[in-house]
Amino acid sequence: MMKSIIFDLDGVIVFTDMYHYAAWKKLADSKGIYFDETINNRLRGVSRMESLEIVLEKYEGSPLSGEEKAALAAEKNDCYRKLLSGMKPDDVSKEVRDTLALLKKRGHRLAIGSSSKNAREILDRVGLIDFFDAISDGNNISQSKPHPEVFLKAAEYLGVCPGSCVVVEDAYAGIDAAKEAGMTAIAVGDAASYEKADYVLEMFSDLAEIKMNY
Ligand code: BG6
Ligand code: MG
């Protein structure tokens, strides 16, 4: 039996994490809120509204109402979506595309497990929307990573049991979510230093070297 593989999207398949950073930074600067890459790393895998709460930890103004917070999140998302609008198939590297194609050819079922509500638009823009057998994203969950819901939903959509899935993630919160779901956790990028990961990839293409049948 071949394992099913669930990929996080932002920071794993595409480097939209830099657009998230740029959009949060613009919002923070416009409101006089300190924001840097270390704070940004805490936003990986975390939902938009939870990310806003982390950004607001450095906010020193008068308390904000729920409506004001929603407006700030919308402002960030508008800026982020403008950056996304320039994305095209070239934004997925040849290495990532070739590795995904190889894994699919070997018979693995592939899914997306992303906290983002913009996941389908991104996949559409880079020409990968029909490549995955299932997409679980920010629109079908009520709790974001480190809660396992997004990965458990992906397994459900694939029609497989969680124990037969591996997850590829760049976020600490995503590695925690994968382990909590009873899945094998493979770390790339920022998550590579996280000791809870079962495997660490130096390069995305190394994924094809990991034994993933059972
Ligand atoms: C995750 C990102 O994939 O999606 C987070 O790692 C982001 O940084 C989250 O906050 C929600 O994204 P969106 O597109 O719904 O604002
Ligand atoms: Mg990510």
Side-chain angles (χ1 to χ4, degrees):
M1 282 283 284
M2 305 299 278
K3 294 253 188 188
S4 297
I5 312 173
I6 306 172
F7 294 88
D8 173 49
L9 180 63
D10 296 317
V12 172
I13 302 290
V14 281
F15 293 104
T16 41
D17 45 342
M18 64 189 181
Y19 296 151
H20 277 295
Y21 173 74
W24 282 123
K25 178 76 177 147
K26 186 166 182 239
L27 180 81
D29 285 352
S30 74
K31 311 292 174 207
I33 303 168
Y34 179 79
F35 185 72
D36 63 14
E37 297 222 9
T38 307
I39 300 172
N40 188 61
N41 279 340
R42 291 174 56 207
L43 312 183
R44 289 180 192 275
V46 177
S47 74
R48 194 179 310 159
M49 291 311 288
E50 286 169 297
S51 295
L52 177 67
E53 291 298 337
I54 294 172
V55 172
L56 290 177
E57 286 172 9
K58 298 282 184 196
Y59 172 68
E60 290 170 350
S62 46
L64 297 168
S65 66
E67 275 177 17
E68 286 170 321
K69 287 182 182 177
L72 290 178
E75 192 178 328
K76 181 266 172 178
N77 194 46
D78 286 347
C79 175
Y80 177 61
R81 287 176 62 85
K82 278 198 189 99
L83 296 169
L84 293 184
S85 69
M87 288 191 83
K88 47 193 179 327
D90 276 0
D91 286 305
V92 177
S93 69
K94 183 173 183 320
E95 181 192 3
V96 168
R97 218 174 263 280
D98 288 352
T99 305
L100 291 175
L102 175 64
L103 294 168
K104 207 169 163 73
K105 197 170 156 209
R106 284 184 189 165
H108 293 286
R109 305 201 67 216
L110 310 182
I112 290 289
S114 166
S115 303
S116 174
K117 293 187 172 175
N118 293 299
R120 282 177 190 270
E121 167 157 358
I122 294 165
L123 289 166
D124 203 18
R125 287 193 181 280
V126 300
L128 284 178
I129 191 84
D130 295 325
F131 201 85
F132 293 93
D133 302 295
I135 296 171
S136 173
D137 65 21
N139 297 296
N140 60 252
I141 55 171
S142 54
Q143 287 160 291
S144 78
K145 302 167 190 174
H147 193 282
E149 185 180 8
V150 73
F151 295 139
L152 293 173
K153 280 268 162 52
E156 184 188 320
Y157 297 160
L158 286 172
V160 300
C161 62
S164 68
C165 296
V166 307
V167 168
V168 185
E169 258 292 350
D170 73 318
Y172 277 47
I175 298 290
D176 285 336
K179 297 311 297 174
E180 194 61 31
M183 300 175 178
T184 303
I186 302 181
V188 292
D190 198 61
S193 53
Y194 194 21
E195 69 282 357
K196 275 181 79 177
D198 297 301
Y199 298 92
V200 171
L201 301 182
E202 257 177 56
M203 293 177 61
F204 190 88
S205 55
D206 293 343
L207 190 54
E209 312 302 321
I210 296 175
K211 187 174 175 288
M212 280 193 286
N213 48 10
Y214 61 103

